[in-house]
């Protein structure tokens, strides 16, 4: 069954796109926790980081390159956080792999 991000990737639900190519989509988070809060995801429906298979690593590397580029474009390269919630205990709510790129304010320590 498709997740909300699957529907966004298919264009069935609108989103504010920040970056897109054939393999990767980046969108603004609908409930931002900072001035910059971007979700970067592979279009391939991988549930989370623990589900990444050996052949997917080039895709993940490309995704990290996209994150680096977006950080520059959003002018937060001096301080941003890139994280993925893996599984319910970590607070993952959408089971389509995505990385949160958060910045634009002083973020402080992790919990
Ligand atoms: P998770 O909790 O799985 O790590 O992150 C899911 C993120 O997706 C949350 O930050 C939430 O605000 C965001 N989100 C949930 N539904 C939508 C949506 O329909 N559109 C967008 N742009 N973000 C969403």
């Amino acid at each position: 069954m498709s997740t909300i991000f699957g529907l966004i990737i298919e264009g069935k639900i609108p989103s504010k796109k920040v970056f897109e190519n054939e393999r990767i989509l980046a969108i603004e988070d609908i409930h931002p926790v900072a001035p910059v809060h971007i979700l970067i995801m592979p279009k391939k429906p991988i549930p989370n980081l623990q589900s990444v298979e050996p052949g997917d690593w080039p895709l993940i590397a490309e995704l990290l390159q996209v994150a680096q580029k977006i950080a520059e474009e959003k002018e937060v390269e001096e301080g941003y956080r890139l994280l993925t919630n893996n599984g319910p205990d970590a607070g993952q709510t959408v089971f389509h792999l995505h990385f949160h790129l958060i910045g634009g304010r002083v973020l402080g320590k992790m919990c």
Side-chain angles (χ1 to χ4, degrees):
M1 199 177 81
S2 202
T3 65
I4 191 105
F5 292 168
L7 295 174
I8 287 172
I9 289 163
E10 289 170 18
K12 293 178 177 163
I13 292 179
S15 65
K16 291 186 182 169
K17 289 182 188 175
V18 175
F19 174 89
E20 182 171 25
N21 68 14
E22 306 88 62
R23 296 167 297 281
I24 292 167
L25 177 67
I27 61 172
E28 292 185 9
D29 196 293
I30 203 167
H31 297 304
V33 299
V36 175
H37 189 167
I38 312 286
L39 303 171
I40 309 166
M41 63 193 76
K43 290 186 174 177
K44 182 177 177 179
I46 301 168
N48 56 29
L49 194 60
Q50 284 309 111
S51 309
V52 169
E53 295 177 347
D56 295 324
W57 290 117
L59 177 61
I60 304 306
E62 184 183 7
L63 191 152
L64 293 177
Q65 285 181 306
V66 168
Q68 187 193 55
K69 184 167 169 281
I70 291 172
E72 279 180 24
E73 286 172 1
K74 296 292 180 182
E75 300 182 333
V76 296
E77 66 268 37
E78 294 302 321
Y80 66 91
R81 193 163 282 151
L82 185 69
L83 65 89
T84 187
N85 293 319
N86 188 95
D89 285 359
Q92 184 177 7
T93 58
V94 181
F95 285 79
H96 181 118
L97 177 63
H98 55 282
F99 287 77
H100 299 251
L101 193 163
I102 298 167
R105 65 168 169 80
V106 176
L107 296 171
K109 291 185 177 179
M110 293 284 286
C111 52

